[in-house]
């Protein structure tokens, strides 16, 4: 999943913590960080800017997908 806008990184991290599976942040160098388990990854995420290429997020549990899509749709409407 590509994310191009994150109006409130804190709200997004709250969603990550509630997810059923892993939420991975894929970095441009090919490495990945576990946003759910790593506090350092959460801090890095909060200061990152998606830019034109966006941020690549991977969800290990497909059941989490609707929650993330709903969050992004609601965030887009409110901002």
């Amino acid at each position: 999943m590509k994310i191009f806008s994150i109006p409130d990184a804190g709200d997004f991290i709250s969603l990550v913590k509630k997810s059923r599976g892993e939420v991975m942040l894929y970095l441009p160098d090919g490495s990945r960080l576990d946003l759910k388990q790593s506090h350092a990854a959460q801090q890095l995420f909060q200061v990152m800017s998606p830019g034109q290429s966006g941020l690549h997020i991977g969800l290990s549990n497909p059941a989490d997908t609707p929650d993330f899509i709903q969050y992004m749709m609601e965030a887009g409407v409110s901002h």
Side-chain angles (χ1 to χ4, degrees), residues 60-78:
S60 68
N61 187 332
D64 290 324
T65 303
D67 294 333
F68 279 83
I69 291 173
Q70 180 178 354
Y71 169 82
M72 294 312 296
M73 288 174 39
E74 289 173 358
V77 168
S78 65

Side-chain angles (χ1 to χ4, degrees), residues 52-65:
Q52 288 187 321
S53 59
L55 296 175
H56 182 196
I57 303 291
L59 304 174
S60 68
N61 187 332
D64 290 324
T65 303

